[in-house]
Amino acid sequence: MFSATITLASPEDSGAIARIMKIGASEQIRRITVIGSHGLQRYIEHQIRVADADQYLIGLRGEQIIGMTAWGHIDNTIMLNHIFLLPEFRGMGLGALLVCEGL
């Protein structure tokens, strides 16, 4: 089974998270959403710092961030808002690890 460390993201992780999101999103998605914005890293950093915003989890292989999820919470409802993995780590179980840990 695929092995990775899953942990909460810190504000310092926002650049790597933004990079993974930009790599994983289609050109159309980048064009019409915050993912294509020059301010994406700053937006993610803000989200991580604000207590009632999305919660970001990252998957690490050694020191490298290789995947991420962003979770929203309303009352007793949890929502997976984003999941992005570096292409070379797709299909190995990383997404499942991130989702299980998020839940």
Side-chain angles (χ1 to χ4, degrees):
M1 174 142 182
F2 183 78
S3 175
T5 301
I6 309 300
T7 188
L8 285 171
S10 70
E12 294 77 26
D13 298 324
S14 60
I17 293 169
R19 179 179 163 272
I20 290 170
M21 291 176 78
K22 286 180 183 283
I23 289 170
S26 69
E27 177 59 35
Q28 181 178 17
I29 294 298
R30 287 191 303 270
R31 191 173 46 245
I32 63 173
T33 69
V34 69
I35 296 172
S37 166
H38 293 295
L40 178 61
Q41 179 178 344
R42 194 170 54 244
Y43 172 79
I44 293 167
E45 183 177 347
H46 174 75
Q47 288 279 298
I48 293 169
R49 289 184 190 281
V50 176
D52 64 345
D54 283 359
Q55 187 174 47
Y56 286 75
L57 291 178
I58 54 172
L60 297 164
R61 194 83 187 261
E63 298 293 316
Q64 181 187 12
I65 297 174
I66 59 174
M68 60 76 61
T69 54
W71 298 85
H73 304 88
I74 298 176
D75 298 324
N76 291 329
T77 303
I78 185 170
M79 299 160 288
L80 175 59
N81 291 334
H82 299 288
I83 182 169
F84 289 97
L85 313 173
L86 288 176
E88 60 268 29
F89 294 100
R90 294 178 187 156
M92 298 181 175
L94 174 60
L97 288 173
L98 283 162
V99 169
C100 287
E101 186 65 28
L103 293 173

